[in-house]
Amino acid sequence: MFAVYGALAAAALCWVLSLFTRECSWVDRIWSIVPPLYVAWFAWCAGFGDARLVLMTVLVAAWGARLTFNFARKGGYAAGGEDYRWAVLRERMSPAAFQAFNFGFIALYQNVLLLLITLPAWAALEHGVGTPLNAIDVIAALLFVAFLAGETIADEQQWRFHQDKHARKARGERVEREFLTTGLFRYSRHPNFFCEQGMWWALYLFSVAAGAGWANWTIVGAVLLSLLFQGSTTFTEQITISKYPAYREYQKTTSRLLPMPPRG
């Protein structure tokens, strides 16, 4: 219950801060911070003596550290660093409707989701404390690390592309491409989104390894996260197309999420 109270408190804090600052990206600012705390809490409940929970804590901490760094270097923690998509939605909705969306979805739902994606650690605490690591644990850890590496590479490629693009524009030079289509982005329009989802599905495998069963209820976090990414990816691409019509051609040749050979 402590973790539940923590999630509700975080939701309330994000909502209140959004009202005072008129920025709705407070959940984004804690997105990479609170999941490692939840997993560490479950490991602490086992006295940090369970190998599986310690391994899960280390993996999620690595995820959080990398994502926090990437978010910080893009200015996410700076004043005025609100996600550009919230400004677009604010323009499309009435003030009352947007505030309801801000409370119900941005603050409350997303904070609940951040707890849900970590609940495989709770399942490991409930079902697997003291049981040795097994083959499923090894597979889960390797998958998590592979997805973490993939997301790191994709974010770095995107960072370097945009830094170079902005530098060229500042010098008055011609920019050939407004969006990235090379590297991992040659095989997927959003390889970082794909890897992000993959990590939480890999974390779910730890609950299976702990003995909770192949279809235990903590799978809901990974499912809801994937659904969230489906909606946010569609919305993101709608905005991108409105700015860069050539993006439609990129859509025709490149897979949306799952990395695949280019078409055509």
Side-chain angles (χ1 to χ4, degrees), residues 127-147:
H127 297 277
V129 171
T131 62
L133 297 175
N134 55 50
I136 299 178
D137 290 302
V138 174
I139 292 171
L142 291 176
L143 285 173
F144 194 101
V145 171
F147 285 127

Side-chain angles (χ1 to χ4, degrees), residues 66 73 148-160 180 184-185 190-193 195:
R66 192 215 66 82
R73 70 175 174 177
L148 179 61
E151 186 174 47
T152 301
I153 293 169
D155 280 345
E156 185 63 25
Q157 289 176 345
Q158 197 167 54
W159 170 257
R160 293 184 179 183
L180 183 57
L184 293 182
F185 291 82
H190 305 280
N192 43 355
F193 291 180
C195 290

Side-chain angles (χ1 to χ4, degrees), residues 53-70:
L53 281 166
V54 170
L55 176 58
M56 295 174 76
T57 301
V58 170
L59 291 173
V60 176
W63 164 86
R66 192 215 66 82
L67 192 58
T68 299
F69 165 75
N70 192 59

Side-chain angles (χ1 to χ4, degrees), residues 19-31:
L19 298 179
F20 277 99
T21 63
R22 298 177 183 271
E23 291 184 17
C24 296
S25 280
W26 291 99
V27 180
D28 300 324
R29 289 168 177 144
I30 66 170
W31 188 277

Side-chain angles (χ1 to χ4, degrees), residues 63-205:
W63 164 86
R66 192 215 66 82
L67 192 58
T68 299
F69 165 75
N70 192 59
F71 188 70
R73 70 175 174 177
K74 293 191 295 184
Y77 294 108
E82 183 182 61
D83 189 317
Y84 68 93
R85 292 172 293 187
W86 299 143
V88 173
L89 279 179
R90 193 180 283 111
E91 293 179 356
R92 296 181 180 180
M93 303 170 72
S94 69
F98 183 78
Q99 284 307 319
F101 178 79
N102 178 31
F103 173 77
F105 177 78
I106 298 178
L108 182 59
Y109 178 78
Q110 290 194 96
N111 267 293
V112 171
L113 179 58
L114 289 176
L115 173 60
L116 289 175
I117 60 176
T118 66
L119 288 185
W122 173 84
L125 175 65
E126 290 292 302
H127 297 277
V129 171
T131 62
L133 297 175
N134 55 50
I136 299 178
D137 290 302
V138 174
I139 292 171
L142 291 176
L143 285 173
F144 194 101
V145 171
F147 285 127
L148 179 61
E151 186 174 47
T152 301
I153 293 169
D155 280 345
E156 185 63 25
Q157 289 176 345
Q158 197 167 54
W159 170 257
R160 293 184 179 183
F161 170 81
H162 286 293
Q163 288 297 102
D164 179 69
K165 183 179 76 171
H166 295 321
R168 287 177 179 273
K169 286 186 175 181
R171 295 193 298 266
E173 298 178 6
R174 178 174 175 270
V175 175
E176 295 182 0
R177 292 176 293 131
E178 292 286 353
F179 48 88
L180 183 57
T181 60
T182 58
L184 293 182
F185 291 82
R186 183 169 181 262
Y187 306 98
S188 167
R189 303 199 298 272
H190 305 280
N192 43 355
F193 291 180
F194 171 75
C195 290
E196 176 69 16
Q197 294 171 70
M199 276 183 280
W200 296 104
W201 281 99
L203 195 79
Y204 170 72
L205 287 179

Side-chain angles (χ1 to χ4, degrees), residues 8 41 83 89 95 112-113 151 198 216 218 236-238 246 248:
L8 294 177
W41 166 255
D83 189 317
L89 279 179
V112 171
L113 179 58
E151 186 174 47
N216 71 82
T218 64
T236 298
E237 292 202 332
Q238 289 173 351
R248 291 187 183 277

